[in-house]
Amino acid sequence: MSYMVGYGSNYPKQIHHRGASIVSIKKDPAPVTCQGGFDWFHRPEPNPNVLEGAIVTPDENDGFADDRNNFQLAEPTTVTNAPLVGVLAHLAQLL
C-alpha cells in the first residue's frame, strides 16, 4: 500500500481532512453546515475529493487501516510531508 494519496492503485481513500471528505460545490452547490460536514465525514465511502500528494502515517508495525475516524494515522500533516518535500526539492535542484 502506498502511504501517499493518489500514488499507485492502492492508496488511502478515507483521509481525515474536511475538504477532502465533503462533496465539491461544483457537484452539489448546496451549502454544507457544520453538522452537515460531520454527516459527510462519517460516511463509509471513499472521500469525494482526492487529496493527491498527501502522506499519511503507518502504525508502529507498518500497517494502515483506511479509516478517516483514525485521525492519528489518517490525517495528513506538515510533519509528515515536509521532510519528503525538502528531499525532493534538493534533488530537483541537482538536475
Side-chain angles (χ1 to χ4, degrees):
M1 171 176 214
S2 169
Y3 298 130
M4 181 179 283
V5 177
Y7 181 77
S9 60
N10 187 19
Y11 58 85
K13 295 176 177 62
Q14 291 192 20
I15 300 303
H16 183 94
H17 187 275
R18 186 174 178 92
S21 61
I22 297 176
V23 70
S24 169
I25 61 171
K26 292 178 182 178
K27 292 187 179 183
D28 184 359
V32 177
T33 64
C34 186
Q35 182 58 44
F38 282 104
D39 293 342
W40 278 98
F41 182 81
H42 292 297
R43 292 181 183 197
E45 294 89 17
N47 288 349
N49 300 304
V50 178
L51 199 60
E52 291 196 30
I55 300 173
V56 296
T57 309
D59 64 19
E60 65 274 0
N61 297 314
D62 201 29
F64 180 78
D66 198 4
D67 177 8
R68 77 176 60 86
N69 289 306
N70 185 356
F71 67 90
Q72 293 93 340
L73 302 181
E75 185 167 337
T77 64
T78 55
V79 171
T80 308
N81 289 344
L84 178 63
V85 171
V87 169
L88 294 177
H90 176 72
L91 292 174
Q93 182 181 351
L94 299 176
L95 296 177

